[in-house]
Amino acid sequence: MKTKLALITICYLLTAIGFSASAQGTAFTYQGRLQSNGNPASGTYNLTFSLFNVSGGGSTVAGPVTTNGVFVTNGLFAVTLDFGPGVFNGTTYWLQIGVETNGAGSFSTLSPRQQLTPAPYAVFAGNASASGLSGTIPSSSLNGTYGSVVNFNNGADSFDGSFYGAFYGSSFIGGDFVGNFIGTGNSLTEVWHTGGNFGTTAGTDFVGTTDNQPLEFRVNGTRALRLEPTLTNGAVNVIGGSPNNYVASGLVGATIGGGGAMNYSGVSYSNSVLFNFGTVGGGYANTANGYAAVVAGGYQNANNGFAGFIGAGDGNVIVGNGGGDGAFLGGGYSNTNGGEAATLVGGTANFIGTFANNAVIGGGGANSIIGSYVLPVFGTIGGGYLNVIQTNVAYATIAGGVSNVILPNAHNTIIGGGAQNVILANAINGVIAGGAQNTNSGYASTISGGVLNNTVGVLSFEAAIGGGAGNQSTGNQTTIAGGLNNTASGLRASVAGGENNNASGDHAMVPGGANNIAGGSYSLAAGFDAFAVNNGAFVWADSVNSILT
């Protein structure tokens, strides 16, 4: 049987672009006209369809697709063909058709092959831009590698996933980028690269914010540095270290260098600045609560003084509220400095009181300079233990020793060392160089050493006791060089040594011995039991147990 296919029309070729094909499927309708011996055919026929990418010869690209029992009426027929997904990708195809009468058992191939051409809307779809698309494109239709340029210039675009490649725009405004940016980013502008930047301009290029919001740097997700702007004065508060560290609201020019801990041995610690221009360098539990106050480090230190300084140590305090301005506390443990421009170098539990201005404690333990609002003190304790300069004392010094005391109004006095030595009240210019339990109450009087020596009362003017034990000077400009239980009470009287000697006359002298008395003016008693009671008398007694006058 001779047949001829006359007219071929393709109504839909939606696979010319993959998008509509995914939404509508891969089947399309084919209509044709079948002639038999030059006349329109009628009846039932079997048809088979194959795709080739050449008009003659070649190999089958898809098919065959066979449709049996197709009704042909006056030569016209319509069939639905489906060559499956991925076939119509824009390649030009020719359709080869075979035909047989129903039940004939063999197909006759029609010639020539019919070229498949697009319908008008398929032409539009093949050349459509993104503006011609609507709806959601399934992700399966966007798989694979796309080698051409894609432009996203809408700030409302949203990216979710990993971005590979270069970004050549000058800015990306608005929108979200969720996922990973992979690569060096060398082509990005107006960003800072992890490998460093080059070609920057100081004052123009920067890392930071342009609004009135803090800038934070984090390590392992934890805040490590916070830069807080202030509203009107252009200052920046710097908060480093633990996120527990803080600067009180509204402050200007505060700095915390680091330190603090969220969990140190199960305890949380913070450093804090509570006044303008305060600084905490590091450590933990430190507080700067004075104007321009500084705590360099250590722990549990509190600086409340105006422009005061604490170097380090533990539990040290510079007091405020009128005291501690310009004070220095170097370190140590549990020391307190309340004096203006006062210096406490270190040690343990040392104390400089409020208004003990310009005072100095070098070290030691439990030493105190009490201070006074009435009189700047300029007092000094070099070290030792439990030494005290009482209130209202100016220019006094205790170099060291144990439990030495300078009482109120004993100005310009010195205790060099020793133990339990006391300069009594009003003993101006008095000195106890050392020894133990010596007492000086005279004006400009000196006890060089010994034990239990003392100058007594205001009449002991410019008196001197060199040493010994239990010696007592009660006169003006008297001298006891040493010995035991000797007494000098006359004007400019002197006892060189010995035991139980007494120079009570003016200008009287006992050079030594025991139990001698020089009671007359300008008298001298020496030896044993010599009594020179008359003016100008000279008595030298031997060792006989009798009083010689």
Side-chain angles (χ1 to χ4, degrees):
M1 180 182 65
K2 183 177 180 182
T3 60
K4 182 178 181 182
L5 185 64
L7 178 64
I8 301 173
T9 302
I10 297 176
C11 296
Y12 300 98
L13 187 54
L14 299 180
T15 53
I17 58 172
F19 306 124
S20 296
S22 295
Q24 297 181 357
T26 58
F28 63 94
T29 300
Y30 176 82
Q31 292 177 337
R33 176 177 293 172
L34 183 65
Q35 290 182 342
S36 177
N37 297 319
N39 297 314
S42 295
T44 302
Y45 293 86
N46 298 332
L47 300 175
T48 181
F49 301 87
S50 299
L51 284 181
F52 291 81
N53 57 7
V54 291
S55 60
S59 300
T60 302
V61 173
V65 174
T66 301
T67 58
N68 295 324
V70 177
F71 292 103
V72 179
T73 303
N74 198 26
L76 299 177
F77 67 91
V79 294
T80 299
L81 303 180
D82 189 351
F83 290 100
V87 175
F88 294 102
N89 54 12
T91 303
T92 301
Y93 290 119
W94 282 263
L95 185 66
Q96 179 174 286
I97 306 173
V99 63
E100 68 174 1
T101 58
N102 192 14
S106 64
F107 287 94
S108 297
T109 300
L110 301 182
S111 180
R113 295 173 183 170
Q114 303 298 308
Q115 183 177 358
L116 299 182
T117 57
Y121 281 107
V123 172
F124 166 76
N127 295 279
S129 66
S131 62
L133 301 179
S134 64
T136 301
I137 301 173
S139 59
S140 61
S141 297
L142 297 176
N143 288 335
T145 301
Y146 185 76
S148 299
V149 177
V150 178
N151 294 317
F152 296 96
N153 56 7
N154 188 344
D157 291 335
S158 180
F159 303 90
D160 188 351
S162 298
F163 182 83
Y164 294 82
F167 178 78
Y168 292 97
S170 61
S171 63
F172 180 80
I173 303 173
D176 299 313
F177 188 98
V178 181
N180 301 313
F181 186 94
I182 301 172
T184 63
N186 287 332
S187 299
L188 292 175
T189 61
E190 298 186 8
V191 298
W192 285 90
H193 303 283
T194 57
N197 282 28
F198 63 91
T200 61
T201 302
T204 301
D205 301 319
F206 64 91
V207 175
T209 62
T210 56
D211 52 5
N212 191 34
Q213 294 296 321
L215 174 65
E216 290 193 352
F217 295 85
R218 300 196 174 201
V219 175
N220 195 27
T222 300
R223 191 193 85 192
L225 177 64
R226 178 181 173 91
L227 306 178
E228 294 181 341
T230 56
L231 293 176
T232 59
N233 42 50
V236 175
N237 297 326
V238 179
I239 308 172
S242 168
N244 290 350
N245 298 334
Y246 67 94
V247 172
S249 177
L251 297 191
V252 176
T255 301
I256 299 177
M262 297 181 66
N263 185 354
Y264 179 72
S265 298
V267 181
S268 175
Y269 295 101
S270 62
N271 295 315
S272 59
V273 175
L274 307 179
F275 215 101
N276 292 332
F277 302 103
T279 299
V280 176
Y284 66 88
N286 295 312
T287 301
N289 190 26
Y291 184 91
V294 175
V295 179
Y299 58 100
Q300 297 178 328
N301 298 307
N303 188 346
N304 306 301
F306 182 100
F309 178 87
I310 296 178
D314 172 21
N316 297 306
V317 177
I318 292 180
V319 302
N321 299 322
D325 293 350
F328 175 91
L329 204 163
Y333 175 74
S334 295
N335 298 302
T336 301
N337 190 348
E340 182 177 321
T343 299
L344 202 162
V345 178
T348 301
N350 295 309
F351 175 82
I352 297 178
T354 304
F355 307 116
N357 301 334
N358 305 292
V360 176
I361 295 179
N367 298 306
S368 299
I369 300 177
I370 306 301
S372 169
Y373 179 77
V374 179
L375 185 70
V377 293
F378 295 93
T380 301
I381 297 178
Y385 180 68
L386 283 175
N387 298 306
V388 179
I389 297 177
Q390 287 282 1
T391 185
N392 199 37
V393 178
Y395 309 104
T397 299
I398 299 177
V402 179
S403 298
N404 298 304
V405 179
I406 297 177
L407 295 179
N409 301 306
H411 309 310
N412 311 314
T413 51
I414 297 174
I415 297 178
Q420 298 180 336
N421 297 306
V422 179
I423 294 182
L424 297 178
N426 304 306
I428 297 173
N429 300 318
V431 175
I432 299 177
Q437 297 180 315
N438 298 307
T439 302
N440 190 346
S441 62
Y443 178 87
S445 296
T446 300
I447 299 176
S448 298
V451 180
L452 293 171
N453 298 309
N454 65 85
T455 62
V456 179
V458 295
L459 294 178
S460 184
F461 181 89
E462 297 177 349
I465 298 177
N471 298 307
Q472 179 172 285
S473 175
T474 62
N476 293 337
Q477 298 176 328
T478 57
T479 301
I480 300 175
L484 176 65
N485 294 330
N486 297 309
T487 302
S489 57
L491 176 65
R492 300 186 180 91
S494 61
V495 177
E499 180 181 355
N500 296 324
N501 296 308
N502 186 355
S504 57
D506 295 343
H507 308 281
M509 179 179 182
V510 176
N515 301 327
N516 299 304
I517 298 176
S521 298
Y522 305 98
S523 62
L524 184 148
F528 181 71
D529 281 344
F531 284 17
V533 296
N534 298 313
N535 294 335
F538 179 96
V539 178
W540 191 296
D542 58 19
S543 61
V544 177
N545 190 15
S546 61
I547 297 176
L548 182 64
T549 60

